[in-house]
Amino acid sequence: MDWSVVAMGCLLVLLGFGCRWWEQAKIRKGASPRQGVRLHLIPLLIGLGLIVGKSPHLVGAPFAVVMTADSLSLVLGVAAALVLGRTGEAAGRFWAVR
């Protein structure tokens, strides 16, 4: 079960990179970039948090490494929440103008 969490984190990281690539491809084709909306960061940060938070436990790392990884995982989770909040705020401004 634990390795499935790491695998899901890897899939989320790949999804984040895929979304970033998709946005860049659309911009190259002439679409206007969405200002302030970075949807690719949400799965990327959550995936990194899952990988960093679970991997040291699985490989039997020392306690100090596990605690550092857990702290970094918390920071990535808070960053993802902040990005999600800013994305929701930007979407709210977009729909309010329409």
Side-chain angles (χ1 to χ4, degrees):
M1 180 66 180
D2 293 330
W3 284 106
S4 64
V5 173
V6 175
M8 186 172 33
C10 292
L11 288 175
L12 284 171
V13 168
L14 290 174
L15 177 68
F17 284 135
C19 289
R20 171 77 174 150
W21 174 80
W22 184 263
E23 287 178 3
Q24 290 297 318
K26 286 186 354 186
I27 290 171
R28 272 188 242 120
K29 287 183 180 178
S32 63
R34 293 177 287 175
Q35 299 295 325
V37 178
R38 304 281 183 236
L39 293 177
H40 65 277
L41 286 177
I42 296 168
L44 183 68
L45 290 172
I46 292 173
L48 285 175
L50 287 174
I51 294 169
V52 169
K54 208 57 161 161
S55 295
H57 295 282
L58 295 174
V59 296
F63 180 73
V65 174
V66 171
M67 290 306 296
T68 304
D70 285 343
S71 300
L72 181 59
S73 178
L74 176 67
V75 168
L76 289 170
V78 169
L82 290 175
V83 169
L84 185 62
R86 290 200 35 107
T87 302
E89 179 183 319
R93 281 192 308 241
F94 173 78
W95 290 110
V97 172
R98 303 268 178 221

